[in-house]
Each structure stands twice: as structure tokens, then as C-alpha cells.
Amino acid sequence: MLGIEAARVIIAEALKAGAGMKPLSVVVLDAGGHVIAFERSDGASPGRFDIARAKAYGAVMLGMGGKAQMARAESQAYFMAALSSVYEGKILPVPGGVLVRDGDGGILGAVGVTGDTSDNDAEAALAGIAAAGFRGEA
Amino acid sequence: MLGIEAARVIIAEALKAGAGMKPLSVVVLDAGGHVIAFERSDGASPGRFDIARAKAYGAVMLGMGGKAQMARAESQAYFMAALSSVYEGKILPVPGGVLVRDGDGGILGAVGVTGDTSDNDAEAALAGIAAAGFRGEA
Amino acid sequence: MLGIEAARVIIAEALKAGAGMKPLSVVVLDAGGHVIAFERSDGASPGRFDIARAKAYGAVMLGMGGKAQMARAESQAYFMAALSSVYEGKILPVPGGVLVRDGDGGILGAVGVTGDTSDNDAEAALAGIAAAGFRGEA
Amino acid sequence: MLGIEAARVIIAEALKAGAGMKPLSVVVLDAGGHVIAFERSDGASPGRFDIARAKAYGAVMLGMGGKAQMARAESQAYFMAALSSVYEGKILPVPGGVLVRDGDGGILGAVGVTGDTSDNDAEAALAGIAAAGFRGEA
């Protein structure tokens, strides 16, 4: 189950994995795309919550990690642009939005990390998800 | 007439046609672009309603199937981007939005399918529309 | 589990329970407030989807049935008005939004019914939920 | 300074103070109304983030705790209704939105708590703020 205990582990471990990176912000969403927990490191810019949530929200709503979303955006830009409007601007198709799957592959939610490069953001999210005993799909 | 009975046939037959595809979601809209019926298959991501509706809504509002919309998006991206805003983000110009026409060519509504490739989505929609005795325009 | 099979039972039985009422529309949402299935009876006004969804969405997001929401709206009108804006106009605090609970009381989603009086709407929703083997909280 | 360390103390202590209450959700916002940290207890309804944030956001933006906002809503409902629209629906004028002040009275941010009665929510927020060494204004 992806509850508050697991969310705390994911955030703490993602921040630890990102210790050498720029200040990270990390959100954990449930399987419906709703916020369970969030932390913004000191020194991060104030708007980081919206970025973190959008990365994770798109992953949940589409059932696709940020890397797959980015590939689609690069091959069919107008599609992801229109999709952004369909979801009222609440998605962000880049790495750092990572699906959280259980052992059977079921989607439990998603993690969104922002602050460093998108690829580093995704690495930090994966580290947090693994530490909590789940499988991440970046 | 495209009422609830026909909508049920369309959805059931579209899902049947998509039995070998990824889990599909299917919406049927009336001639005003308003929802008559919708079903989301188990295993589909939670945000599928919005995608299905946007495909069908654009078809009704523009009187163009998703393939014609996509051609326009590819030849004149800024036009479809602006149109997306004109319709408050409620359109999605890709295959899978299929017009429902009667024998005289009148538009009765549209079907929106999402879950597999856009082309497969359109095939499932066409199968459902044909099974209900209407003509589909993908 | 509240999946498409259960949702079909809920909608069919709610419509059956409402056979003597005005034409009903019925939506079933999952535990994250996302649409699983919807049907609008012939003769219902075109905007019924939004009403049905708003009744059910508020129930899920607040964890309160429509009757409890209405009581709060009547005792503290400005609170529910502000809450409506917090949820971007997507809630509707009247009977007809009914929580779907499992045997342990966990919330699986919600049903929204609209078309007749709010109390009759709630009765139809409860009949559908009971027929699917769940507990309804109106 | 109200940074992530203090926000963690506030959330942990607010949740501890609310141990005998319904499952609480707690947000901490900075002096610009932006999210520093949030936690939703297991068992809380999914939409709690928006409520918690709105309580705290209104406090920061207006420089008034939730109790003062509620008094204004009760004496001049149309004013708070219009203000809700002015702030795009992101405020909620009830107790549980609590200003965080430093020793000189300067506003450092706000805490939003939701889940139990509004008065209990405010008590939990005050306990968290006091534990972090700040002055709360409910």
C-alpha cells in the first residue's frame, strides 16, 4: 500500500539520493492523482510544488512515466500540447514523473521530482521508490 | 436516432473490436457534444474519460473526424493550438474521435476511443458505430 | 473491487429503480474521483453528465455523502460556496451523490444520480449500489 | 526561518496533537503562499490537500487567520464570496488556516489543517506552530 509511511520513505530517500544535486522538491501522489505528501528543500524556487505535481499527475492520469511522455511530445508535439489543455495544464511531459508500481505491475501512484536536470530528478525519484520497496517506471 | 440504446451497442461493440488491444475507454456524445454514455475498461489509466471526450468533442464541434483534425494539426500546428484554447482545452486532434452520421450524412454525434494506438482506437470506434447501423467518419 | 462490471450493475439497477421517475442519468466514479461509467437516459437534458459527476465527485473528495454535504451547506452556506470554488466548481452538495463503501467501510468510489428530486435520485443510487453488493452512504 | 526543517516539526506535532481526532491533513506555506510541505494521514479523503492549502493560502494572502476570515464571512457573506473569486477559488474562510508569526509579529507563512471540526483543526495547527518555536494566529 502506498500510504503516508511509504510516502515519507520515498521523499526522504529521494532527497538523500539528490544530496549532491540542486535543491529538490518531491511529491507523492496516490492512484487517483491526489497528493499524499510533499517536501520542498530550502533554496528551491517557490513554484516547485506545481512542477513536481504536474510531472507525477501526468504519469498517473496517462499511465505513462515522464520519459515515455517526453518521447511522445518529441514525436508529436501538438498532441501533448493539446493534452496539456485537456488536463487543464496539470501535466508536464518530462522525466521526473515516475510511476509507482507494486509487484504485480499495478499502479499505486506516482512520484514527481524537480530541481535538477530532468534525468537527475528521475534518478532521485527511482531511488526513493526502490527504498520503499516498490518498482518505479521513469 | 443516437440515444442510449444505440450508445450501448456502440460501446459494447467497440470494446469487443478492441478485445486484443490495450484496455479501451469509449465515450458517445450527442450532436451537441454532450455525453450520452461512457465506459472505461479495467486496467485503463484513470484519466481516460477526458481523453475520450476530447477526441469526440472536437469531432462534433468542428464537424471533422480525428484524422482530418490531425492532418490540419500537422500542416498548421498553431491553428489547432489556438483552436484548443478557443474550445477551452476540450479538443484533441488525433484519430479515435469519429463522427456518427445517419444515412443522409447528417451528424448525430461522435464516438471517442482511447487506450491503444490512435489508429487502433479509430478502428474500434468505427466497428461500434457500424454495429449500431450508422456511418462512421474517422 | 469497483470496476466496470460492478459499475454496469450499479447503473442498470439504479435506472431500473428509477423507472417510474423522470429520466435519470447515472455516473460511477472510482476512489480517486475519476469516471468509470456513465449513462444518460433518453429524454434527460443534455447537461446531466456534469451534474451527476459533481454530486459524486464531491462525495469522493470530501468523504461525505450528498445529504451530509447539504446539511453543511444549509448550516454554513459560505463554507460550501467557497469549497465549490476550491474544487473549481466540480462539487454539488445535494442528495444524489452517494459514497460506495466495501464491507470494512473503505471508500471505493461514489455514484451520482440526477434527473428527479434529489431524494429520489439518492434512492436510485442506493438501489444500484446495494444490487452490486456494496454499502451506500447517501 | 520557516524552512523545511521547521515545516517538518510543525506537521509532525500537529499530527501528534490530532492523534485522537479524525485523520488530519496538514500543509505549511511560506510567506508567498507557496507550499513547503504537506502530509495527508491514511484514512483521510483524497481531496484534503486542496482544503488544507486553501485555508492556509487565504491566511497568507489576507494576513488574517481563519477565525477572523470566518467572522468576516458571517458578517458580510458577499464580500468573502467575491474574494473567493478574486483569489480564483483558492481561499476557504474557516478555522484551521493559521498564520505563522515570528517573535516580532512578522508573518512567515501559514499552516492549514483539515479533517476534524474546524476548531479542532485550528488547535492542531497551533500546537504544531508552537512546537516549532513560532507564534500562531488562528
Side-chain angles (χ1 to χ4, degrees):
Chain A
M1 179 206 169
L2 179 52
I4 184 63
E5 289 296 340
R8 285 175 187 150
V9 171
I10 290 171
I11 290 176
E13 296 294 325
L15 292 177
K16 192 179 297 179
M21 305 179 189
K22 291 182 186 170
L24 298 185
S25 300
V26 185
V27 76
V28 180
L29 304 187
D30 65 22
H34 303 293
V35 189
I36 301 174
F38 172 76
E39 286 199 4
R40 187 180 97 212
S41 298
D42 293 339
S45 57
R48 292 289 163 177
F49 172 77
D50 293 305
I51 296 179
R53 181 165 66 171
K55 287 185 177 186
Y57 188 75
V60 168
M61 295 303 274
L62 303 171
M64 294 167 63
K67 294 190 181 185
Q69 291 179 59
M70 186 170 76
R72 185 71 182 263
E74 294 192 338
S75 69
Q76 199 178 11
Y78 65 85
F79 175 74
M80 290 307 288
L83 208 53
S84 168
S85 294
V86 165
Y87 287 116
E88 299 174 340
K90 292 174 181 162
I91 67 174
L92 197 58
V94 292
V98 180
L99 288 169
V100 179
R101 292 188 185 272
D102 61 21
D104 299 327
I107 295 177
L108 303 175
V111 173
V113 176
T114 179
D116 206 90
T117 66
S118 292
D119 284 340
N120 280 350
D121 293 343
E123 287 307 307
L126 286 167
I129 293 166
F134 300 116
R135 293 170 44 202
E137 179 181 321
Chain B
M1 180 206 167
L2 178 53
I4 185 64
E5 289 297 340
R8 285 175 187 149
V9 171
I10 290 171
I11 290 176
E13 296 295 326
L15 292 177
K16 193 179 296 178
M21 306 178 188
K22 290 183 186 170
L24 297 186
S25 300
V26 185
V27 76
V28 180
L29 304 187
D30 64 22
H34 303 292
V35 189
I36 302 174
F38 172 77
E39 285 199 6
R40 187 179 96 213
S41 297
D42 294 338
S45 60
R48 291 291 163 177
F49 171 78
D50 293 306
I51 297 178
R53 181 166 65 172
K55 287 185 178 187
Y57 189 76
V60 169
M61 296 305 277
L62 302 170
M64 293 166 63
K67 294 190 182 185
Q69 291 178 61
M70 184 170 78
R72 187 70 182 264
E74 294 192 338
S75 69
Q76 201 179 9
Y78 66 85
F79 176 74
M80 291 307 288
L83 210 50
S84 166
S85 295
V86 165
Y87 287 113
E88 298 176 341
K90 292 174 183 163
I91 67 174
L92 196 58
V94 292
V98 180
L99 288 170
V100 179
R101 293 188 185 272
D102 61 21
D104 298 326
I107 294 177
L108 303 174
V111 174
V113 176
T114 180
D116 206 87
T117 65
S118 291
D119 284 341
N120 281 349
D121 293 342
E123 286 307 307
L126 286 167
I129 293 166
F134 300 116
R135 294 170 44 202
E137 179 181 321
Chain C
M1 179 204 167
L2 179 53
I4 184 64
E5 289 296 341
R8 285 175 187 149
V9 171
I10 290 171
I11 290 177
E13 296 295 327
L15 293 177
K16 192 179 297 178
M21 306 179 189
K22 291 182 186 170
L24 298 186
S25 300
V26 185
V27 76
V28 180
L29 304 187
D30 65 21
H34 303 293
V35 189
I36 301 174
F38 172 77
E39 286 199 5
R40 188 180 95 212
S41 298
D42 294 339
S45 58
R48 291 291 164 177
F49 171 78
D50 293 305
I51 296 179
R53 182 165 64 171
K55 286 185 178 186
Y57 188 74
V60 168
M61 294 303 274
L62 303 171
M64 293 167 63
K67 293 190 181 185
Q69 291 178 60
M70 186 169 76
R72 184 71 183 263
E74 294 192 338
S75 69
Q76 200 179 10
Y78 65 85
F79 175 74
M80 290 307 287
L83 208 52
S84 168
S85 294
V86 165
Y87 287 115
E88 299 173 342
K90 291 173 182 163
I91 67 173
L92 197 57
V94 292
V98 180
L99 288 169
V100 179
R101 292 187 185 271
D102 61 21
D104 298 326
I107 295 177
L108 303 174
V111 173
V113 176
T114 179
D116 207 89
T117 65
S118 291
D119 284 340
N120 281 349
D121 293 342
E123 286 307 307
L126 285 167
I129 293 166
F134 301 116
R135 292 169 44 201
E137 180 181 322
Chain D
M1 179 205 168
L2 178 54
I4 185 62
E5 289 297 340
R8 285 176 187 148
V9 171
I10 290 171
I11 290 176
E13 295 296 325
L15 292 177
K16 192 179 295 179
M21 306 180 188
K22 292 183 185 168
L24 298 185
S25 300
V26 184
V27 75
V28 180
L29 304 187
D30 65 21
H34 303 292
V35 188
I36 301 174
F38 172 76
E39 287 199 5
R40 187 179 97 213
S41 298
D42 294 339
S45 60
R48 291 291 163 177
F49 171 78
D50 293 306
I51 296 178
R53 183 168 61 173
K55 287 185 178 185
Y57 189 75
V60 169
M61 295 306 277
L62 302 170
M64 293 166 64
K67 294 190 182 186
Q69 291 178 61
M70 184 169 79
R72 186 70 182 263
E74 295 193 336
S75 68
Q76 200 179 10
Y78 65 85
F79 175 73
M80 290 307 288
L83 209 50
S84 166
S85 295
V86 165
Y87 286 113
E88 298 177 340
K90 292 172 181 163
I91 67 173
L92 196 58
V94 292
V98 179
L99 288 170
V100 179
R101 293 188 185 272
D102 60 20
D104 298 327
I107 295 177
L108 303 175
V111 173
V113 176
T114 179
D116 207 89
T117 64
S118 292
D119 285 340
N120 281 349
D121 293 342
E123 287 306 308
L126 286 168
I129 293 166
F134 301 116
R135 292 170 44 200
E137 178 181 322

